[in-house]
Amino acid sequence: MKFFVDTADIESIRELSEFGMVDGVTTNPSIISKSGRHIRDVIEEICSIIKGPVSAEVAATECDTMMAEGRKLAEIASNVVIKLPLTWDGLKACRKLTDEGHMVNVTLCFSANQALLAAKAGASFVSPFIGRLDDINLDGLDLIEEIRTLYDNFQFPTEILAASIRSANHVLHSALIGADVITAPPAVIRQLADHPLTDKGLDQFLADWKKTGHHIV
Ligand code: G3P
């Protein structure tokens, strides 16, 4: 399973990538806005650190303008993935940009039928949003399961990029279901290391070690 980090926070990307926790990065207009920087500068800096796929989202809603923006974003670096919303215009732009040889991540996916369309349009990635479905009392993980079954039934090569991940539980169950990639904020990725018994065990080991009065170095 691949780990993408859903952030424009350069320090977190750098820190997590130093020990192999970042296979790629995803951003969206809200994340870019929060950074306070121009999308070009943010994506360029991320791509100087991360060699895997880095998603940069268009802001246009009409096919031709989406394509123009997508091409512009793809000029930033060879590992830029053009992120397009799951609308008819987005799907049309996906097909055309894919045919031109670009990688496309179709985002804001909330149903298996939408994911089917993204695969038909040739998307490299589809991003189903787990947390936002949970927010409206649906089960976002059910959607990951449906898309996995659907893609496996027809051998669609589009990768399932489980997004809107809010908890360690979302990561675990996305992995168990067979999502190809998870994208999560740095805090959620850090949380995966936490376990109370690890903390308790370490406290005990350190207390016992102190009693020896020894030093390893
Ligand atoms: O990048 C898309 C997605 O991960 C957004 O997550 O938490 O804003 O629903 P969230």
Side-chain angles (χ1 to χ4, degrees):
M1 150 160 287
K2 283 172 267 189
F3 273 19
F4 289 1
V5 61
D6 200 28
T7 189
D9 179 55
I10 302 296
E11 281 327 301
S12 293
I13 293 169
R14 208 185 289 283
E15 190 238 327
L16 289 167
S17 72
E18 274 166 7
F19 60 113
M21 297 300 162
V22 183
D23 300 301
V25 173
T26 51
T27 63
N28 61 38
S30 306
I31 288 172
I32 297 293
S33 166
K34 203 171 141 200
S35 78
R37 301 171 67 197
H38 194 284
I39 187 169
R40 181 193 51 243
D41 300 333
V42 179
I43 299 297
E44 196 170 46
E45 190 168 9
I46 295 173
C47 290
S48 72
I49 303 165
I50 302 298
K51 296 303 157 206
V54 174
S55 289
E57 188 161 342
V58 302
T61 53
E62 183 269 327
C63 179
D64 287 344
T65 335
M66 281 177 171
M67 289 181 60
E69 289 187 359
R71 290 188 191 112
K72 194 80 190 164
L73 292 169
E75 278 172 14
I76 298 171
S78 59
N79 53 328
V80 167
V81 178
I82 303 165
K83 205 171 176 189
L84 301 170
L86 209 155
T87 58
W88 278 118
D89 279 77
L91 292 167
K92 283 181 202 163
C94 174
R95 170 48 66 197
K96 290 180 182 176
L97 289 166
T98 298
D99 288 347
E100 286 177 12
H102 297 293
M103 287 186 289
V104 171
N105 174 1
V106 176
T107 188
L108 291 167
C109 172
F110 292 97
S111 79
N113 276 334
Q114 288 182 318
L116 180 57
L117 294 177
K120 296 287 287 175
S124 299
F125 300 97
V126 66
S127 292
F129 278 31
I130 299 174
R132 292 192 195 188
L133 282 168
D134 290 358
D135 287 345
I136 58 163
N137 287 327
L138 294 172
D139 189 339
L141 288 164
D142 283 351
L143 175 59
I144 304 296
E145 197 155 24
E146 286 176 5
I147 301 172
R148 180 73 282 154
T149 303
L150 200 151
Y151 282 9
D152 287 351
N153 283 351
F154 302 100
Q155 284 93 50
F156 284 119
T158 301
E159 292 190 58
I160 302 173
L161 199 174
S164 187
I165 284 202
R166 311 265 178 81
S167 65
N169 192 51
H170 282 160
V171 175
L172 172 64
H173 287 279
S174 295
L176 289 172
I177 290 164
D180 301 286
V181 192
I182 57 100
T183 189
V188 172
I189 293 179
R190 291 192 188 103
Q191 253 178 41
L192 303 181
D194 294 345
H195 198 288
L197 290 180
T198 303
D199 297 339
K200 192 177 169 204
L202 184 59
D203 286 348
Q204 181 69 59
F205 286 161
L206 293 180
D208 290 342
W209 177 255
K210 209 170 175 188
K211 290 180 210 157
T212 68
H214 299 163
H215 297 280
I216 296 172
V217 287

